[in-house]
Amino acid sequence: MTGMPTSGMNVLALAGGVGGAKLADGLAHLLGERLTVAGNTGDDFEHLGFSISPDLDTVMYTLAGIANPELGWGIAGETWSFMEQVERLGGPVWFRLGDRDIATHALRTSRLRSGESLTAVTADLCRALGISARVVPMTDDRVRTMLETEDGPLAFQDYFVRLKCAVAVRSILFEGAEQANPNPALMAMRGEAAPQAIVICPSNPYLSIDPILAVPGLRDFIRETPAPVVAVSPIVAGAAIKGPAAKLMAELGHTVSAATVAEHYRGLVDALLIDEADAPLAEDIERMGMKPVVASTVMRSRADRITLAGLCLKVAQDLA
Amino acid sequence: MTGMPTSGMNVLALAGGVGGAKLADGLAHLLGERLTVAGNTGDDFEHLGFSISPDLDTVMYTLAGIANPELGWGIAGETWSFMEQVERLGGPVWFRLGDRDIATHALRTSRLRSGESLTAVTADLCRALGISARVVPMTDDRVRTMLETEDGPLAFQDYFVRLKCAVAVRSILFEGAEQANPNPALMAMRGEAAPQAIVICPSNPYLSIDPILAVPGLRDFIRETPAPVVAVSPIVAGAAIKGPAAKLMAELGHTVSAATVAEHYRGLVDALLIDEADAPLAEDIERMGMKPVVASTVMRSRADRITLAGLCLKVAQDLA
């Protein structure tokens, strides 16, 4: 991105899984170690004895360039001997763990169990994978996204993976969030290490960004920061690029629209990037007190990620 | 083994890893569910967050016909993606875990952590692998084989795998053995379910059989049982077929000989099978109060395992 005026810019990005990770990858390309990615740990869970952090891992694998492009999760060139044997042994197979992926989970699990923090483990994993951006969990404490559904309460992965989101959600709860301490590395960014921009990546607002904002201190940090806050809508032309954001939006009683994303982030975000397909919504969004920016937001290639990241930074700089 | 008079015979076998597992496999072929294998858990350990039971697993994989013939441990047709990724992530690689093998460790670890016993987990794993013999750990309590070496104390796997036995051992300790409860399934065999024979497989006497005998009650059970006790020497022609038995024997100040095995099992064993190469030792062994049986004891094929197992049972029946 020649000519992109990003030198010296420190940026904080909030990201969930796939879509968020793609924009984070574009930002990481432009900013390197000047990028901090706050990752969602609300969908972390324990399975087969492993402590699994799906969203952090997707960010990590994407930034390391080893993400599995076919699956949208896990590692490229994965093998599946472990799962085959688990099945043979009569173990649970609804949540698939690749052989390479398990290296992450095993190292993390054993270190967490010995008392290390998720932040420290994630930093070391990122270093080993050659990632220069800083990837930090929103908190080192336990937060669990729970869904109140038509069939009763469900843990996130039960809803998301086991049931493939095929139940209607009535409300969402971030268990443990109220008691959680925000990641000190994030809170330290309120002071002299303050970012020049905050980017809310095109992740699910309800399941990926809200858990981050539910950790005490983080929403206020973003609301009160003097830095411009730029979000990218994960809803394009009334649909989600990936995942249950649109379905959830409807179930929660909202119109499936980038305007609903704007409404959701009202008071927090200074500019919202919406897709060209949603250009007619620009006026509505402007009325909500944020700057609408119409762009091509669907990231099909690595170049798309970098272009969109560059635009986010430019929008932030124009707002500053 | 046509004509082998084993019907109705219940047998208890004591076995460590490779050599012991091979004879256990021969016995299992002849006896099916009438065989109980008491496995050594002294070399169990925790690694990368997994609870690993190397000897139990070798017995289990061997009886299931899925043992890796090249390595002498692990599963045949194994893949190694996990280890490759652990290495990439800078994790420890001195103890190699195959992708399929990890299914065993993960299922065991998560179930142990939820409060289930190693006995229950092992039984379910065996069932899933189609094993009809009963494989039971010597105890469900924690026993850890420790080696006092010229370089100080070492945990078993540090000595055996990491250092490849390349330090001299002065003494061996079974940490926790005194406080351990013998497996109730084994102690129950003192009563009406009493075996008609006990077979001590050709495993390392110091590292595989002694830990089993160190669990309170088990040595007395074997010493006091009315059933004949038949052992097979793991030392053939002054050398061990596999593993550090011979090296250890010398370091502990003994002649490396099947006669030393006889001396070690004196008072416990009624008959000792020694290899044809050791036929000249028969008289010495007889003088120690046990019956020497000269046979071809090296198991190169599955047929060899079955033949040797059949001979053990015949020797026991002749002694009864």
Side-chain angles (χ1 to χ4, degrees):
Chain A
M1 296 304 292
T2 47
M4 205 47 78
T6 60
S7 65
M9 208 173 173
N10 289 313
V11 173
L12 170 63
L14 276 55
V18 185
K22 284 182 180 175
L23 183 57
D25 183 41
L27 291 166
H29 177 83
L30 297 174
L31 300 164
E33 63 195 14
R34 286 175 285 121
L35 174 68
T36 299
V37 183
N40 168 38
T41 58
D43 55 2
D44 287 15
F45 79 131
E46 289 71 44
H47 185 62
L48 282 171
F50 298 114
S51 295
I52 302 177
S53 297
D55 273 3
L56 280 185
D57 288 351
T58 295
V59 168
M60 202 166 68
Y61 295 158
T62 303
L63 265 56
I66 61 170
N68 191 314
E70 287 85 31
L71 293 176
W73 50 270
I75 296 178
E78 189 56 282
T79 63
W80 302 96
S81 301
F82 170 81
M83 285 311 301
E84 282 171 28
Q85 193 68 16
V86 166
E87 185 157 25
R88 179 167 182 181
L89 294 174
V93 294
W94 63 271
F95 194 92
R96 291 180 62 72
L97 293 167
D99 300 330
R100 290 181 200 284
D101 191 29
I102 291 173
T104 301
H105 308 315
L107 288 169
R108 175 168 45 221
T109 303
S110 62
R111 290 183 58 184
L112 289 179
R113 204 165 293 138
S114 76
E116 293 191 72
S117 71
L118 183 58
T119 300
V121 176
T122 306
D124 285 349
L125 290 170
C126 284
R127 196 171 303 121
L129 289 171
I131 297 168
S132 54
R134 193 163 60 140
V135 180
V136 301
M138 62 194 200
T139 177
D140 281 324
D141 299 325
R142 181 191 174 91
V143 176
R144 292 294 179 266
T145 298
M146 299 289 297
L147 300 114
E148 192 58 55
T149 75
E150 53 187 356
D151 296 341
L154 281 175
F156 180 79
Q157 299 297 343
D158 278 334
Y159 164 75
F160 191 65
V161 178
R162 196 167 58 79
L163 299 178
K164 300 184 174 66
C165 310
V167 285
V169 170
R170 290 183 180 144
S171 62
I172 302 166
L173 181 78
F174 307 115
E175 216 174 74
E178 280 176 35
Q179 294 77 44
N181 295 299
N183 195 308
L186 295 175
M187 296 311 273
M189 292 181 80
R190 288 177 307 177
E192 48 194 57
Q196 280 79 50
I198 293 182
V199 176
I200 300 182
C201 293
S203 292
N204 190 314
Y206 310 110
L207 294 176
S208 299
I209 303 301
D210 278 358
I212 302 176
L213 298 174
V215 177
L218 294 185
R219 181 184 289 272
D220 286 346
F221 167 25
I222 292 166
R223 191 188 283 129
E224 293 160 11
T225 182
V229 180
V230 177
V232 178
S233 172
I235 300 290
V236 170
I241 302 298
K242 196 172 162 60
K247 179 171 179 288
L248 213 49
M249 199 171 264
E251 287 165 5
L252 296 174
H254 304 296
T255 308
V256 182
S257 161
T260 301
V261 176
E263 182 62 45
H264 191 77
Y265 288 145
R266 200 171 188 163
L268 202 66
V269 158
D270 301 303
L272 181 69
L273 272 68
I274 58 173
D275 195 72
E276 285 152 356
D278 293 317
L281 299 172
E283 271 182 45
D284 286 353
I285 290 167
E286 195 150 23
R287 270 194 296 272
M288 292 184 222
M290 66 189 81
K291 181 182 174 177
V293 178
V294 177
S296 173
T297 64
V298 183
M299 295 170 280
R300 291 188 183 82
S301 65
R302 182 113 205 278
D304 288 347
R305 301 176 187 179
I306 298 165
T307 301
L308 189 60
L311 179 60
C312 289
L313 299 181
K314 188 176 177 310
V315 167
Q317 285 184 315
D318 291 349
L319 285 169
Chain B
M1 295 303 292
T2 47
M4 204 46 76
T6 60
S7 66
M9 209 175 174
N10 290 313
V11 173
L12 170 64
L14 276 54
V18 185
K22 284 181 181 175
L23 183 57
D25 182 41
L27 291 166
H29 177 83
L30 298 174
L31 299 164
E33 62 195 15
R34 284 174 286 118
L35 174 68
T36 299
V37 183
N40 167 39
T41 59
D43 55 1
D44 286 14
F45 80 130
E46 288 71 44
H47 184 63
L48 281 172
F50 298 114
S51 294
I52 302 177
S53 297
D55 274 4
L56 279 186
D57 287 352
T58 296
V59 169
M60 201 165 68
Y61 295 158
T62 303
L63 266 55
I66 61 168
N68 191 314
E70 288 84 32
L71 294 174
W73 52 269
I75 296 179
E78 189 56 283
T79 64
W80 302 96
S81 301
F82 171 82
M83 286 311 301
E84 283 172 27
Q85 192 68 17
V86 166
E87 183 157 26
R88 179 168 183 181
L89 294 174
V93 294
W94 63 271
F95 193 92
R96 291 179 62 72
L97 293 168
D99 301 329
R100 289 180 200 285
D101 191 28
I102 290 172
T104 301
H105 308 315
L107 287 169
R108 176 168 44 221
T109 303
S110 62
R111 290 184 58 183
L112 289 178
R113 203 164 295 139
S114 76
E116 293 190 71
S117 71
L118 184 57
T119 300
V121 175
T122 305
D124 284 348
L125 290 170
C126 284
R127 197 171 303 123
L129 289 171
I131 298 168
S132 54
R134 196 163 58 142
V135 180
V136 299
M138 63 197 199
T139 177
D140 282 324
D141 298 326
R142 182 189 173 92
V143 175
R144 291 294 179 268
T145 298
M146 299 290 297
L147 299 112
E148 192 58 55
T149 75
E150 54 188 354
D151 295 343
L154 281 175
F156 180 80
Q157 299 297 344
D158 279 334
Y159 164 75
F160 189 66
V161 178
R162 195 168 59 78
L163 299 178
K164 299 182 176 64
C165 311
V167 286
V169 170
R170 290 184 179 142
S171 62
I172 302 166
L173 180 78
F174 307 116
E175 217 174 75
E178 280 177 35
Q179 294 78 44
N181 296 297
N183 194 309
L186 296 175
M187 297 311 273
M189 293 180 80
R190 288 177 306 176
E192 48 195 57
Q196 278 79 52
I198 293 180
V199 177
I200 299 182
C201 293
S203 293
N204 189 312
Y206 310 110
L207 294 176
S208 299
I209 303 301
D210 277 0
I212 302 176
L213 299 175
V215 177
L218 294 185
R219 181 183 290 273
D220 286 346
F221 166 26
I222 293 167
R223 190 188 283 127
E224 293 161 10
T225 182
V229 180
V230 178
V232 178
S233 172
I235 299 289
V236 170
I241 302 297
K242 194 171 164 61
K247 178 171 179 288
L248 212 50
M249 198 171 265
E251 287 165 5
L252 295 173
H254 305 296
T255 309
V256 181
S257 160
T260 300
V261 176
E263 182 62 44
H264 191 77
Y265 288 144
R266 199 172 190 166
L268 203 65
V269 158
D270 301 302
L272 181 68
L273 272 68
I274 58 172
D275 196 72
E276 284 151 357
D278 293 318
L281 300 172
E283 272 184 42
D284 286 353
I285 290 167
E286 197 150 22
R287 272 196 294 273
M288 292 185 222
M290 65 190 84
K291 179 180 175 179
V293 178
V294 177
S296 172
T297 65
V298 182
M299 294 170 281
R300 290 188 183 83
S301 65
R302 181 113 207 276
D304 288 348
R305 300 175 189 181
I306 297 166
T307 302
L308 188 60
L311 180 60
C312 288
L313 298 181
K314 188 176 178 312
V315 167
Q317 284 185 316
D318 290 348
L319 285 168

